[in-house]
Amino acid sequence: MKLLPALCLLLLTSLPAMAADKARSEITDREIERKAVQAVVWGMPAVNYDLMRQEMLNKTPGKVGQVIYWGEPLDWKNQTLTPNPDALYFMAFFDTKDGPFVLDLPAAEAKGSFNGNIVTVWQQPLEDAGLLGADKGKGGKFLILPPDYKETPPDGYIPLKSNVYGGYILFRSNMASHDTADVEASIEYGKKMKVYPLSAAANPPQTVFSDVKDIVFDSTIQWDARFFDNLNRVVQEEPWIARDRVMIDQLKSLGIEKGKPFKPDSHVKSLLAKAMKEAQALLQAKYDDGFAPFFSETSRWTFPGYADVVTAAQRDFDEADSYPVDHRGVIYTMAYIGIKRLGAGQFYSISIRDKDGRAFDGRHTYKLNAPANVPVQQYWSVTAYDRKTHALIKNVSRASRSSQIPDLAKNADGSIDLYFGPRPPKGKDANWVPTDPKRHFELMFRAYGPTKDFFDKKWVLSDAVRLQ
């Protein structure tokens, strides 16, 4: 009987210790979750990049140092973020660990031209190329230099010094129209680009092109713990940029550490999955708040970006008193690529609500009037995207209408009415973009080669109006 009091005493003395252990465990879990949420926001552009690279490596014949392209105007099988279905896309990923890499890009021709952007793993723009890029349509050999490159670049190249090893070029080969002959001409022109290591410049190997138009290429953000596998891959492959060293310890607490395997146990995985949902809610709320209106103070058409991110990108994210990580994170949940001279080669505006402020609903039909004489040197277009994924709406026949479509019906004043909905209004099929009645959507207006009148707001795009 003397054992009973002793056991009771042992139990009573153990309870505070057990409670303290539980409290410490809860604190540790909350710390992991908090740091994981911040890692998602910070790492979004790099994971965005790696998702595209992994789709190429795992689903297509393409490899780093080669070119993949879509051999027809993009349809829903291209599930990248807000792509342009009115240009032919060519992409080449590069790696400069073994030395500089050459992007030999063609000059504009009577029946061929392109708009291109060259970026790092972090989607930091190195340069724009093409008609309104650094080469002004003359073409040129863009030379990507690794961060540890100490030599003088050879003559005859446009040198671009990167602070990491990896990156890619998005090469948009322009089309005169969607007709078969114009599409084929655009592909033929795009295949004039060459990519190869500088070490092979004396006798460049033939560039390998892989047509991936029939492959479901899905690089949408996956809001689960797999995000951290992509992030770990980038951390292992790339050098730390000085501005990001604060994340070394943050990531270590999640199990991501350079030179070590990332093997979270089931408990940590559950915390990372929970953090992903928190990050998703945070970033989506910021996106839902909207961006600054563009055409007027009350316009539903907004500039899909933040002024601080635009400025930071133009200055290589190297400003002494600014590093807009939160805003950058929002941007790369709904788009990819970095543009050095935004507004010179292309300009974008996005609308997530109709004229009355209601979210676009795929069950309803909307009309958008585009006034005549759009002030652009190349073309304009309007594309519908899935509101949740920011990719092209799945299983629809087309995603956009553009000034390249010769059979668009025009009004007497030269303006064009576009329709978005589950079914075309009677007699309006040529001007109609289908939507999914089970999903919400968003619209993006593109202006390629916008002129001064565009930025002076001498031409104003109306808001979409719900018809039924």
Side-chain angles (χ1 to χ4, degrees), residues 8-22:
C8 290
L9 179 61
L10 179 62
L11 180 61
L12 289 172
T13 56
S14 298
L15 285 175
M18 292 171 62
D21 288 343
K22 181 180 179 182

Side-chain angles (χ1 to χ4, degrees), residues 273-285:
K274 184 177 179 181
M276 280 301 299
K277 295 304 180 185
E278 293 178 20
Q280 181 180 23
L282 171 68
L283 293 167
Q284 287 186 347

Side-chain angles (χ1 to χ4, degrees), residues 34-252:
R34 284 196 303 268
K35 290 182 176 180
V37 169
Q38 291 306 308
V40 172
V41 176
W42 167 78
M44 187 60 68
V47 170
N48 180 317
Y49 153 90
D50 191 58
L51 285 167
M52 292 188 290
R53 184 179 56 154
Q54 295 309 311
E55 282 293 283
M56 177 191 72
L57 294 174
N58 295 324
K59 285 189 176 180
T60 83
K63 296 178 174 59
V64 173
Q66 300 179 356
V67 179
I68 59 172
Y69 72 99
W70 282 260
E72 61 185 21
L74 302 185
D75 62 16
W76 66 266
K77 290 189 290 294
N78 181 301
Q79 287 287 294
T80 56
L81 302 183
T82 56
N84 181 2
D86 296 295
L88 269 293
Y89 270 30
F90 290 72
M91 291 183 75
F93 290 82
F94 53 80
D95 187 341
T96 61
K97 283 182 181 176
D98 294 327
F101 197 82
V102 180
L103 303 172
D104 189 347
L105 308 180
E109 303 171 357
K111 293 186 177 181
S113 65
F114 78 96
N115 295 285
N117 309 101
I118 305 166
V119 302
T120 72
V121 167
W122 288 93
Q123 317 250 13
Q124 178 178 319
L126 294 174
E127 191 51 89
D128 302 333
L131 285 178
L132 296 166
D135 57 304
K136 302 298 183 185
K138 296 179 181 179
K141 297 178 180 180
F142 291 79
L143 183 63
I144 316 301
L145 304 175
D148 50 1
Y149 190 74
K150 299 294 191 298
E151 302 173 36
T152 300
D155 293 336
Y157 294 88
I158 302 172
L160 305 176
K161 184 68 177 287
S162 177
N163 51 17
V164 289
Y165 295 116
Y168 68 98
I169 178 174
L170 178 63
F171 180 108
R172 307 173 193 83
S173 186
N174 295 318
M175 301 183 296
S177 76
H178 285 232
D179 290 344
T180 300
D182 288 330
V183 170
E184 290 177 351
S186 180
I187 294 172
E188 182 181 355
Y189 174 77
K191 286 187 175 182
K192 292 183 178 181
M193 70 182 295
K194 302 173 184 177
V195 299
Y196 51 87
L198 179 64
S199 59
N203 186 25
Q206 185 174 357
T207 298
V208 177
F209 292 87
S210 298
D211 187 351
V212 299
K213 68 178 184 297
D214 295 323
I215 296 170
V216 177
F217 192 98
D218 189 349
S219 62
T220 54
I221 306 302
Q222 304 300 306
W223 296 99
D224 56 38
R226 288 176 293 174
F227 182 98
F228 297 94
D229 294 319
N230 296 92
L231 185 58
N232 175 66
R233 186 179 295 109
V234 172
V235 168
Q236 300 302 329
E237 293 179 354
E238 298 293 345
W240 282 103
I241 302 171
R243 63 171 181 257
D244 289 327
R245 291 187 185 280
V246 68
M247 294 301 297
I248 295 176
D249 258 16
Q250 302 266 25
L251 295 181
K252 188 185 295 185

Side-chain angles (χ1 to χ4, degrees), residues 268-293:
V268 172
K269 283 184 178 179
S270 70
L271 297 176
L272 296 178
K274 184 177 179 181
M276 280 301 299
K277 295 304 180 185
E278 293 178 20
Q280 181 180 23
L282 171 68
L283 293 167
Q284 287 186 347
K286 289 179 180 292
Y287 181 77
D288 288 342
D289 287 341
F291 303 104

